[in-house]
């Protein structure tokens, strides 16, 4: 008998359901797309399927490299069992090249390589537009302990290292990406949320073509095709 599941949270791109097991949530990926803190809205056909599958494959790859993630089991093309975590109220962005808000905030040319990966902290708060903060804000305001802050940065850089190498083998440059973290009841940290074309910038190494949500944000066209192409490369790269 199908159990009725309690909707715990509905975000812009996903729904999260409670399950009979208090340690487990189910995530359902939608095709809805937003940008600029929800001011631009749309629909990307098949996005939920790509983001679910790609996140799960990349989480598994990260686990193989010792990075703990919330991933438990893929249930269907849009649904996945994940660990039920208490989310940290921050978004962590790692950048390898200048792009997006870093380019616009500081008036720097998009595409310039950075001398080393840059980790940025944002306060996750839609009403405030997810403002940029510092690691010190996160510590002093009590969102994370100093030990957790160090662990968050260590894990974010480890994710960057693993994904950058894997994607380079598929002819894709990882320009930047956003991570979210959660802690379990024992206080252990995990990479959570998703790792997908919604949350990363992927540039084709050969052509420079954008294979991510910037095609939607910037009205570049070929959005569905870009999601299909990056999924094809990730799937091929992780084929057994
Ligand atoms: P940004 O250049 O707009 O700050 O974005 C940096 C990275 O974070 C980029 O890969 C897209 C991702 N991102 C999200 O996943 N969610 C968001 O709400 C924003 C603004 C960016």
């Amino acid at each position: 008998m199908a159990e009725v599941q309690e909707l715990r949270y509905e975000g812009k791109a996903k729904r999260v359901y409670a399950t009979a097991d208090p340690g487990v949530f189910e995530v359902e990926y939608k095709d809805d797309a937003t940008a600029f803190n929800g001011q631009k809205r749309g629909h990307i056909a098949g996005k939920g399927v790509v983001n679910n599958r790609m996140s799960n494959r990349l989480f598994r790859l990260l686990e193989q490299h010792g990075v703990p993630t919330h991933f438990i089991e893929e249930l269907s093309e849009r649904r996945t069992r994940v660990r039920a975590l208490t989310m940290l109220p921050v978004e962590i962005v790692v950048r390898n090249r200048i792009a997006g808000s870093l380019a616009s905030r500081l008036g720097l040319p998009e595409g310039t390589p950075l001398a080393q990966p840059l980790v940025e902290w944002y306060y996750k708060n839609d009403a405030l537009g997810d403002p940029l903060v510092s690691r010190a804000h996160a510590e002093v305001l009590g969102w994370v302990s100093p030990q957790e802050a160090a662990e968050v940065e260590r894990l974010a850089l480890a994710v960057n290292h693993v994904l950058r190498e894997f994607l380079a083998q598929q002819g894709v440059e990882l320009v930047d990406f956003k991570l979210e973290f959660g802690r379990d009841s024992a206080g252990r940290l995990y990479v959570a949320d998703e790792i997908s074309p919604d949350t990363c910038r992927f540039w084709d190494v050969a052509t420079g073509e954008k294979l991510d949500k910037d095609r939607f944000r910037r009205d570049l066209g070929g959005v569905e095709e870009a999601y299909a192409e990056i999924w094809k490369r990730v799937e091929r790269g992780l084929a057994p």
Side-chain angles (χ1 to χ4, degrees):
M1 195 172 69
E3 68 186 270
V4 179
Q5 291 184 314
E6 179 200 345
L7 179 65
R8 272 304 181 87
Y9 173 78
E10 177 152 9
K12 300 185 199 98
K14 295 189 287 304
R15 295 187 187 92
V16 179
Y17 297 90
T19 70
D21 181 342
V24 175
F25 284 157
E26 275 184 36
V27 178
E28 180 184 45
Y29 285 75
K30 306 187 280 186
D31 285 350
D32 298 339
T34 64
F36 314 115
N37 199 22
Q39 289 176 64
K40 177 184 171 91
R41 289 168 185 277
H43 187 84
I44 301 173
K47 171 171 89 78
V49 175
V50 167
N51 288 7
N52 180 44
R53 289 182 167 153
M54 191 183 305
S55 293
N56 294 342
R57 299 300 287 269
L58 295 178
F59 283 142
R60 215 165 61 188
L61 176 70
L62 291 169
E63 293 271 0
Q64 286 162 2
H65 286 82
V67 176
T69 79
H70 75 166
F71 176 67
I72 298 174
E73 179 192 14
E74 188 167 295
L75 296 174
S76 69
E77 59 180 15
R78 288 178 186 274
R79 278 226 180 204
T80 294
R81 281 159 59 82
V82 301
R83 289 174 197 277
L85 302 171
T86 302
M87 298 301 292
L88 308 185
V90 293
E91 299 191 350
I92 303 297
V93 170
V94 181
R95 301 179 186 273
N96 298 303
R97 275 184 196 267
I98 294 172
S101 71
L102 178 60
S104 51
R105 190 181 329 108
L106 301 183
L108 298 168
E110 189 161 78
T112 311
L114 293 163
Q116 58 188 50
L118 179 64
V119 179
E120 294 177 336
W121 293 66
Y122 292 83
Y123 176 41
K124 193 170 163 62
N125 183 313
D126 278 343
L128 298 176
D130 297 342
L132 178 69
V133 296
S134 68
R135 173 173 163 177
H137 286 87
E139 292 183 24
V140 172
L141 297 173
W143 303 334
V144 291
S145 70
Q147 293 76 15
E148 283 179 324
E151 180 69 353
V152 160
E153 294 206 343
R154 187 185 73 78
L155 290 171
L157 290 170
V159 170
N160 187 47
H161 184 76
V162 172
L163 295 187
R164 221 178 158 184
E165 282 203 350
F166 165 70
L167 290 162
Q169 289 161 13
Q170 320 317 320
V172 175
E173 180 170 346
L174 180 61
V175 171
D176 57 33
F177 60 95
K178 182 265 298 181
L179 294 179
E180 296 186 29
F181 291 84
R183 64 170 87 83
D184 67 12
S185 52
R188 188 167 185 232
L189 285 180
Y190 299 82
V191 177
D193 195 54
E194 67 180 275
I195 301 179
S196 73
D198 276 21
T199 64
C200 303
R201 289 196 168 91
F202 300 123
W203 291 1
D204 185 292
V205 171
T207 64
E209 196 189 347
K210 297 184 198 317
L211 299 175
D212 58 58
K213 193 176 164 188
D214 269 351
R215 302 204 73 84
F216 168 79
R217 294 187 188 101
R218 302 179 186 192
D219 296 320
L220 300 175
V223 183
E224 280 86 359
E225 292 80 358
Y227 277 68
E229 176 63 23
I230 189 70
W231 166 238
K232 194 175 85 185
R233 298 216 203 164
V234 166
E235 191 182 29
R236 196 175 52 200
L238 291 174

